[in-house]
Amino acid sequence: MKLIIRAALISAVLHLVYFIVTFGIGFIRTLTYEPDIIAEADNVVVLQDEVVIVTTGAPFLFVYTFFGITLIAALLLTGASNRTMRKGSLR
């Protein structure tokens, strides 16, 4: 049970980092955007003045990736613990 909880925590942290990085990149791109006014002088179009930063896609995709990364993390943790146990028994 301890292994599954650790794997789920690793998966949650990786997903949280993904969301923070995705939001951060969008936020920085929004702050640093400067339109090329000279190139757009002939084609003037009024745009909205509000920006919405969201992700698009299937919401259940994150549930599937959460369980998938949890499984992979559990396998890696199991392999790492087996490897350390084998190293200890050889001494």
Side-chain angles (χ1 to χ4, degrees), residues 6-20 66 69:
R6 281 187 184 171
L9 284 174
I10 290 171
S11 180
V13 167
L14 288 175
H15 277 81
L16 185 65
V17 167
Y18 171 76
F19 287 127
I20 290 172
F66 179 80
I69 292 175

Side-chain angles (χ1 to χ4, degrees), residues 19-75:
F19 287 127
I20 290 172
V21 169
T22 303
F23 178 79
I25 289 171
F27 188 73
I28 290 170
R29 284 184 180 177
T30 301
L31 286 179
T32 60
Y33 177 72
E34 293 181 17
D36 190 9
I37 297 174
I38 296 171
E40 297 291 328
D42 296 333
N43 186 11
V44 177
V45 177
V46 178
L47 298 175
Q48 67 184 34
D49 58 350
E50 296 178 3
V51 177
V52 179
I53 300 174
V54 297
T55 60
T56 58
F60 286 110
L61 178 66
F62 295 115
V63 174
Y64 298 139
T65 58
F66 179 80
F67 287 122
I69 292 175
T70 301
L71 178 66
I72 292 170
L75 292 173

